[in-house]
Every structure is written in C-alpha cells, then in structure tokens.
Amino acid sequence: MTTILIDADACPVVTETILISKQFNFDCILICDTAHEMHREGAETIIVSKGADAVDFVLVNKVNKGDIVVTQDYGLAAMVLAKQGHPIDQNGRLYTNDNIDQLLYARHKAQKVRMAGGRLRGPKKRSKENNLTFEISLKELCEKISVTN
C-alpha cells in the first residue's frame, strides 16, 4: 500500500496532502522535529529530536518503493529517488532522475555564493495558486500510482 510521507517542518501543504491521501485511501505520515511538532487528524505523526537532517534520516528510512514524499529538500528528494519513491515539492514539481542533478548543482552554487558573503533573493510569497498547482500535481501522481498498483 502506498504511503504519503511529509517532511512536515515548515511544509505549507500539510492539510491539502492529508485530504488527498484520504481520497486515494493512502496512509499519511507527518515527520517533524520537536520545534515544529504538529498533530493532524487523518495522519500519523512521528516526532524526532531537533538536529540537522534528523527528520530527513527518519523519513528516508521509512520510505518504501512507490511511496510519495512531500519535501522542499533536494538532498532528501535525491535519496527518495534512490529508493524508487516519488518526491514532490510544495509547488507540485516532481523531482525526477532527469532534474535532480541540476537542482542539486544549483543548490551547491547558491551555497557557495552565500558562503562568499553574497546574497540571493528568497522565494516569492506563497499564493493560493501555488496550493492549487500542488493539489493538481499530487492528485495526478496519486492517480498514476493507483493505476499501476
């Protein structure tokens, strides 16, 4: 059975994801650290201690082939792809073997700029359209997985 796992620390689409998981009868698991603790009806919550990448390591150990993972983290998405999972970001972009290397490289370049004292623009303010795009993409992914199972 497919599970949707959410990297729930600062995830803006938790509610939407839980609702969609119910529509497809998929289990839903929120994984967060003690600084972002949350409990939502319709989802199991796993709370881990604070620490760099603590949520990521628990999540990647829980994911199985065919599971969906909602995350903004490119590194985590790469690990999910290696386990044959389906990572998707909060804006509905699917991480794939075709785009993950470019995303990781861009993250690396941005990190070098910041370490050298440079500044980069942050993300645009989140809109309702972002949530709608996410919902459409997640539903399409769930439908695709439901057909293949």
Side-chain angles (χ1 to χ4, degrees), residues 16 91 126-137:
E16 293 85 350
N91 295 322
R126 188 156 186 85
S127 69
K128 290 181 181 180
E129 289 79 23
N130 294 127
N131 289 353
L132 182 58
T133 302
F134 169 78
E135 290 176 34
I136 291 167
S137 292

Side-chain angles (χ1 to χ4, degrees), residues 64-67 79-86:
N64 293 306
K65 180 179 178 178
D67 285 346
M79 291 187 284
V80 170
L81 285 169
K83 292 190 78 174
Q84 298 180 346
H86 304 281

Side-chain angles (χ1 to χ4, degrees), residues 1 10 29 41 44 55-58 61 69 72 76 81 93 109 115 117 122 138 145-146:
M1 177 166 179
I29 301 174
E41 187 175 330
E44 174 188 347
V55 168
D56 298 351
F57 292 127
V58 170
N61 283 317
V69 174
Q72 304 177 58
L76 176 58
L81 285 169
R93 174 180 49 195
K109 293 292 282 186
M115 288 179 72
L138 182 58
I145 290 170
S146 292

Side-chain angles (χ1 to χ4, degrees), residues 98-111:
D98 294 330
N99 69 11
I100 196 66
D101 287 338
Q102 178 193 6
L103 294 168
L104 288 168
Y105 181 72
R107 179 182 76 167
H108 171 73
K109 293 292 282 186
Q111 195 172 33

Side-chain angles (χ1 to χ4, degrees), residues 110 113-114 118-124:
V113 168
R114 285 190 300 273
R119 296 183 63 133
L120 301 169
R121 297 182 76 187
K124 294 179 184 175

Side-chain angles (χ1 to χ4, degrees), residues 36-88:
H36 300 95
E37 187 173 333
M38 69 173 70
H39 298 276
R40 301 283 173 84
E41 187 175 330
E44 174 188 347
T45 299
I46 297 173
I47 301 165
V48 301
S49 58
K50 285 194 299 187
D53 302 320
V55 168
D56 298 351
F57 292 127
V58 170
L59 195 151
V60 83
N61 283 317
K62 286 237 169 252
V63 72
N64 293 306
K65 180 179 178 178
D67 285 346
I68 298 169
V69 174
V70 179
T71 185
Q72 304 177 58
D73 185 314
Y74 299 161
L76 176 58
M79 291 187 284
V80 170
L81 285 169
K83 292 190 78 174
Q84 298 180 346
H86 304 281
I88 184 172

Side-chain angles (χ1 to χ4, degrees), residues 1-59:
M1 177 166 179
T2 301
T3 300
I4 300 178
L5 300 106
I6 305 173
D7 180 1
D9 291 348
C11 179
V13 290
V14 171
T15 301
E16 293 85 350
T17 305
I18 293 169
L19 291 172
I20 292 169
S21 73
K22 287 180 184 178
Q23 290 175 13
F24 288 88
N25 201 29
F26 292 168
D27 289 335
C28 188
I29 301 174
L30 309 175
I31 304 175
C32 54
D33 68 27
T34 54
H36 300 95
E37 187 173 333
M38 69 173 70
H39 298 276
R40 301 283 173 84
E41 187 175 330
E44 174 188 347
T45 299
I46 297 173
I47 301 165
V48 301
S49 58
K50 285 194 299 187
D53 302 320
V55 168
D56 298 351
F57 292 127
V58 170
L59 195 151

